[in-house]
Amino acid sequence: MILNTNKGFKKYLVEVICLLYILLFVYAAVSKLLDFENFQVQLGQSPLLSVFAVWVSWLVPFTELLTAVFLVLPKLRTLGLFTALSLMTMFSVYIFIILHFSDFVPCSCGGVLEKMSWNVHLAFNLIFIMLACIAVILRSHTGTISAVNLTPALTGKAMLLDVLLSTVVIIVLFLISEDSMHNKNPFIRRFPQHPVMFERSMDLKFNSYYFAGFSNNRIYLGNYTTPLKILSMDSRLQDRKIIKIVFDSKKLRFTMVKIKISAPDFYLMDGTVPAIFSGKTMDWKISKELKELPYFTLAEPIDSTTVMIRAGNGKDGSHTLGVYRANKSTATRYNSKLLQVQIDGIFDTDGMLLFSNKLKKMVYVYYYRNEFIVAGTNVALDYRGHTIDTITRAKIKVAYLKNSTIRKMSAPPLIVNAHAAISGNLLFVNSKTQGQFEDEKLWKRAFIIDVYDLNKNAYLMSFSVDKIENKKLLSLFVTDEHLYALMENELVVYKLRDIIKEK
């Protein structure tokens, strides 16, 4: 019906469509440039364009303004309409991929359109795509002199090619960005909407507690000052019980006792003795001692006879990872190649020893570099993974005292990975390094947790947990349903949302 209207009306309709596009693009571009830093941060958090945030943040408003100029000039108006069609197609494909193929859906943003949901935003874009097509068709039938002159027959093919190429561009950018973010991350974090939700907190009165384990929907906390007493409670921090371990210490000189609970067993460990005792949670009585243990600095029991350990028996006392088996003639087997020395072999290889019961893998996360190690229960290396920051070498200074018999840190070290926890195939790391496009205010008010998939050796996402009265984060513990955080004397519980649980 439109094509049968008079020539004057066609030109008038094209003018109106061009004016709408000019208003849209000028407003959108100016809004981005006036709040450019926030726009760049939003692109950095995009599930599609994170890797390209820097140049896309300049290219988009520039292209929008250039398109508006094309639409103002009569001879360039057809070119401007094709450019507008391309932009709106890209924006629409971008939203469609976010809604149907992205790991998460970010907050909707962008000036007046900020109040729109993603589905409404997509419908808005599709209307403007239709308007651009109508304007291009009308101009091809009016015979208007332009820098781009197409016959009505070629116009349809040109529009189809424009839409297809624009769609392909966004799909290619998405695939490249996804591969880079998960496997070759350029230190850009992704913060999906609320992956964890605060549930409750509890004042423990003391800051000497640590996570001892989790079983039958109950969390267990050990206490360094009262090592034979365990505080137990349910996930709602109710039904609290004090458990006393029955143990005849045989006058052993314990200095740093730690309890580990892996039902139905529990373990009492001290690497300075060295000693590991075990018992059953049904009666909390020590009933067994592991014999011929080496001295160790960290230990993670796998079962009643097998323990992953870190010992200081390498060259010049450097750290070495190994496995102790009580039923073997050679009780302890080490792999001196797992921990790689950069400076002194002790401070530079310091880190956290974890074990995944689901994967039956040991994970060692370095404190001072962007690396973690995944190995089997035979201490054979599976792979070396990397956290998303760029600090590959430990930034520490070591001083040697008393003829090199004593070594100390001579300057505060740069901590990369402060705390870590494992749940199934997911590794949770409390990072101390700020990434690209991240707000300083966020880092001042919250702790940042990065999540990695150990099966895929891939970064997944990040989230923040707000600080409580500016207290320090001491440790993390993650179950299938909850994340627990010890912030000095405060035990805080967060509910894991589906975006994490489904991973």
Side-chain angles (χ1 to χ4, degrees):
M1 184 176 69
I2 293 177
L3 296 178
N4 294 327
T5 59
N6 60 61
K7 189 174 181 180
F9 179 74
K10 293 178 182 179
K11 288 184 177 180
Y12 174 76
L13 187 55
V14 170
E15 292 281 347
V16 171
I17 293 173
C18 290
L19 180 60
L20 288 174
Y21 262 111
I22 291 168
L23 290 173
L24 175 66
F25 286 149
V26 170
Y27 172 77
V30 171
S31 296
K32 294 179 179 72
L33 294 174
L34 288 177
D35 195 10
F36 183 75
E37 184 178 355
N38 184 49
F39 172 58
Q40 199 171 63
V41 168
Q42 289 169 345
L43 282 179
Q45 301 305 321
S46 162
L48 269 69
L49 302 176
S50 306
V51 174
F52 312 106
V54 174
W55 61 266
V56 169
S57 63
W58 289 105
L59 182 62
V60 170
F62 172 79
T63 306
E64 287 174 334
L65 290 175
L66 184 62
T67 303
V69 171
F70 289 164
L71 293 172
V72 169
L73 302 174
K75 289 188 177 182
L76 297 177
R77 194 159 286 168
T78 300
L79 176 61
L81 287 169
F82 274 103
T83 307
L85 176 61
S86 178
L87 280 175
M88 297 309 290
T89 300
M90 289 182 182
F91 295 158
S92 300
V93 174
Y94 171 83
I95 294 173
F96 183 83
I97 292 176
I98 281 179
L99 292 175
H100 297 280
F101 299 100
S102 170
D103 288 338
F104 66 94
V105 179
C107 296
S108 181
C109 55
V112 164
L113 306 181
E114 185 175 3
K115 303 302 179 183
M116 293 183 182
S117 69
W118 282 109
N119 284 313
V120 173
H121 202 156
L122 178 59
F124 178 89
N125 287 357
L126 292 176
I127 290 172
F128 268 82
I129 287 175
M130 181 182 68
L131 292 175
C133 292
I134 291 172
V136 170
I137 292 171
L138 290 178
R139 280 183 66 83
S140 71
H141 282 80
T142 58
T144 306
I145 299 175
S146 174
V148 179
N149 291 311
L150 295 174
T151 64
L154 290 176
T155 298
K157 295 180 181 178
M159 287 192 297
L160 179 61
L161 181 62
D162 190 352
V163 170
L164 288 176
L165 288 177
S166 301
T167 301
V168 169
V169 167
I170 295 299
I171 292 174
V172 170
L173 289 178
F174 167 64
L175 294 175
I176 294 173
S177 182
E178 283 296 281
D179 178 64
S180 296
M181 285 297 296
H182 292 307
N183 302 306
K184 297 172 284 188
N185 191 287
F187 205 8
I188 300 174
R189 287 188 171 90
R190 284 183 171 174
F191 291 93
Q193 296 182 58
H194 315 301
V196 299
M197 181 178 65
F198 173 83
E199 279 199 346
R200 58 189 58 86
S201 65
M202 171 186 173
D203 185 357
L204 298 171
K205 307 300 182 185
F206 303 99
N207 64 358
S208 52
Y209 284 97
Y210 62 89
F211 293 110
F214 182 86
S215 178
N216 297 323
N217 203 35
R218 296 187 68 84
I219 188 77
Y220 294 90
L221 301 178
N223 193 316
Y224 289 115
T225 58
T226 56
L228 295 182
K229 289 185 178 180
I230 303 296
L231 174 60
S232 170
M233 66 198 83
D234 60 26
S235 60
R236 296 181 60 83
L237 306 187
Q238 302 296 321
D239 188 25
R240 299 168 201 165
K241 297 177 181 178
I242 300 294
I243 300 167
K244 187 172 182 179
I245 295 174
V246 181
F247 176 49
D248 179 8
S249 65
K250 302 178 183 179
K251 297 182 180 179
L252 294 173
R253 293 180 177 271
F254 291 106
T255 59
M256 185 56 74
V257 173
K258 192 166 186 180
I259 305 296
K260 175 74 176 182
I261 297 165
S262 179
D265 300 306
F266 74 92
Y267 305 86
L268 184 150
M269 308 179 294
D270 190 339
T272 63
V273 175
I276 296 181
F277 296 88
S278 66
K280 299 295 183 181
T281 55
M282 61 183 297
D283 57 13
W284 297 99
K285 291 181 180 180
I286 293 292
S287 59
K288 183 178 180 180
E289 179 182 4
L290 301 184
K291 303 291 187 179
E292 299 182 20
L293 275 164
Y295 288 92
F296 58 87
T297 52
L298 294 174
E300 275 291 317
I302 298 174
D303 54 44
S304 59
T305 62
T306 309
V307 184
M308 307 297 295
I309 64 170
R310 186 188 73 180
N313 66 345
K315 184 179 179 181
D316 298 325
S318 61
H319 290 140
T320 308
L321 295 176
V323 58
Y324 164 89
R325 299 184 190 276
N327 55 355
K328 296 291 184 180
S329 56
T330 303
T332 307
R333 176 185 177 185
Y334 296 101
N335 185 342
S336 60
K337 296 181 180 180
L338 285 180
L339 298 181
Q340 296 180 325
V341 178
Q342 292 183 338
I343 299 172
D344 72 320
I346 296 180
F347 294 121
D348 66 332
T349 58
D350 201 5
M352 297 159 280
L353 180 61
L354 308 167
F355 184 76
S356 170
N357 284 310
K358 178 181 179 180
L359 302 180
K360 301 301 178 186
K361 299 292 183 183
M362 175 195 71
V363 178
Y364 189 84
V365 184
Y366 286 107
Y367 281 130
Y368 307 119
R369 65 179 99 161
N370 67 343
E371 186 177 322
F372 58 89
I373 299 164
V374 179
T377 54
N378 59 351
V379 290
L381 177 68
D382 276 15
Y383 66 85
R384 298 183 187 276
H386 291 88
T387 53
I388 61 172
D389 60 273
T390 57
I391 302 171
T392 58
R393 186 172 178 83
K395 296 183 179 181
I396 60 174
K397 292 183 179 180
V398 181
Y400 295 85
L401 309 175
K402 295 185 178 181
N403 296 321
S404 297
T405 58
I406 297 177
R407 68 186 86 186
K408 291 186 177 181
M409 291 274 199
S410 60
L414 176 62
I415 299 174
V416 177
N417 306 307
H419 307 286
I422 283 182
S423 179
N425 58 298
L426 299 186
L427 173 65
F428 297 76
V429 179
N430 168 221
S431 176
K432 302 286 282 187
T433 51
Q434 188 172 340
Q436 297 187 60
F437 316 118
E438 291 175 11
D439 190 353
E440 288 279 355
K441 294 179 181 178
L442 174 65
W443 279 82
K444 289 180 180 179
R445 67 170 176 82
F447 301 106
I448 306 302
I449 313 296
D450 300 324
V451 186
Y452 301 87
D453 187 334
L454 295 174
N455 280 333
K456 300 177 181 178
N457 186 18
Y459 165 73
L460 295 180
M461 69 186 79
S462 300
F463 59 88
S464 62
V465 292
D466 286 343
K467 298 178 181 178
I468 294 182
E469 298 175 359
N470 212 32
K471 293 178 180 179
K472 294 180 180 179
L473 180 64
L474 300 182
S475 59
L476 296 171
F477 194 88
V478 185
T479 68
D480 291 340
E481 298 289 335
H482 294 92
L483 180 142
Y484 297 85
L486 278 173
M487 300 183 192
E488 296 186 15
N489 60 298
E490 202 81 22
L491 174 60
V492 191
V493 186
Y494 300 87
K495 177 74 174 177
L496 300 183
R497 307 293 289 273
D498 289 343
I499 191 172
I500 290 182
K501 289 161 60 175
E502 68 187 11
K503 297 294 183 180

